[in-house]
Amino acid sequence: MKKSFKKLYYLFKRILIQMRCSSVKLGSGSVVRSGMTFEGYNHIGANCDLSGSIGKYTYMGNNCKLNAHIGRFCSLASNIQILNSTHPTKDFISTNPVFYSVNRQCGITFVHENRFDEYIYADINHSISCIIGNDVWIGENVLIIGGVKIGDGAIIAAGSVVTKDISDYTIVGGVPAREIKKRFDDDSIKLLLHLKWWDKDDSWLKDHAKEFDNITNLKGWIL
Ligand SMILES: CC(C)(COP(=O)(O)OP(=O)(O)OC[C@H]1O[C@@H](n2cnc3c(N)ncnc32)[C@H](O)[C@@H]1OP(=O)(O)O)[C@@H](O)C(=O)NCCC(=O)NCCS
């Protein structure tokens, strides 16, 4: 009964979001936590669980669990998760939360107050634990440890586990994710970060869309 009420609630919420912003599409079973904002032209696949904010033209596949500020023009594949909570890896004799958390993960606790910050990565409402820049491409089946910052223009290869910040325009891959290469030379990256084309209005973007196929066109836009 409680479950079907929850399902109905989220269905109603999905319809409400789509009514408010017709360019936002939420797949079936997707859940949007309170306070979440969509900038527009956001297509979200099925069974996603989202909180935070999503910039315009950012879209994602199915089964993504993300509590993050996500920038504009990002392409996110399916099965991407931010891992929000943690267990003690040192000092504590056991990693089991019965010894440090009042959240009763297994139905019981031996403590009366929290003795370890299991949501160290998240903000106070647990709605944000990661910042993802603009024009970021994240491949299929990526896990991101909470608390990391993913720079503008970064690419995360399929199947990676991201444990550290990723700098702007860097391609990373593997477990743990390591730098594979930079997308462009240093001068081009500097120009891109100076230009911030993702903040331009739609008419500028439409006018320049054909020139997006070659990084050498950048210089012409700056002059
Ligand atoms: C990273 C990726 C974008 C390839 O980028 P690329 O610039 O074409 O890179 P290359 O294929 O030349 O590979 C460069 C290096 O990265 C390695 N690499 C490629 N994909 C990798 C991955 N998923 N994990 C770890 N390493 C990877 C390659 O083995 C190669 O290593 P080497 O230099 O030691 O030989 C691509 O492999 C990928 O993961 N794409 C995501 C696909 C996806 O998830 N699509 C879903 C829909 S969007």
Side-chain angles (χ1 to χ4, degrees), residues 59 75-78 137-141 155-160 171-174 180-181:
Y59 68 99
S75 308
L76 275 53
S78 291
W137 175 27
I138 305 183
E140 196 107 4
N141 295 317
I155 296 176
I156 306 176
S160 302
I171 304 178
V172 301
I180 293 175
K181 58 187 166 186

Side-chain angles (χ1 to χ4, degrees), residues 7-8 18-19 24 32 81-82 92 107 115 132 183 213:
K7 259 189 173 170
L8 257 173
Q18 283 171 188
M19 273 166 66
V24 175
V32 170
Q81 279 203 34
I82 296 173
F92 273 78
R115 297 173 53 77
I132 299 176
R183 278 178 65 190
D213 64 352

Side-chain angles (χ1 to χ4, degrees), residues 9 16 22 25 60 85 89 93 109 116 144 147 158 180 186 199:
Y9 169 76
L16 212 73
S22 61
K25 299 265 176 287
M60 70 187 70
S85 58
T89 57
I93 290 165
T109 180
F116 173 77
I144 301 167
I180 293 175
D186 287 351
D199 289 340

Side-chain angles (χ1 to χ4, degrees), residues 205-223:
L205 292 164
K206 269 182 205 152
D207 287 349
H208 290 78
K210 275 191 181 158
E211 298 161 58
F212 266 68
D213 64 352
N214 195 325
I215 190 70
T216 60
N217 292 330
L218 257 189
K219 282 192 183 125
W221 299 350
I222 300 266
L223 293 172

Side-chain angles (χ1 to χ4, degrees), residues 1 12 15 17 46 68 75 78 82 91 97 104 117 122-123 137 139 146 159-160 171 184-185 192 203 206 215 219:
M1 182 68 186
F12 179 68
I15 294 168
I17 287 167
S75 308
S78 291
I82 296 173
D91 299 333
R104 296 172 186 273
D117 188 3
D123 66 341
W137 175 27
S160 302
I171 304 178
F184 306 114
D185 62 56
L192 284 159
S203 69
K206 269 182 205 152
I215 190 70
K219 282 192 183 125

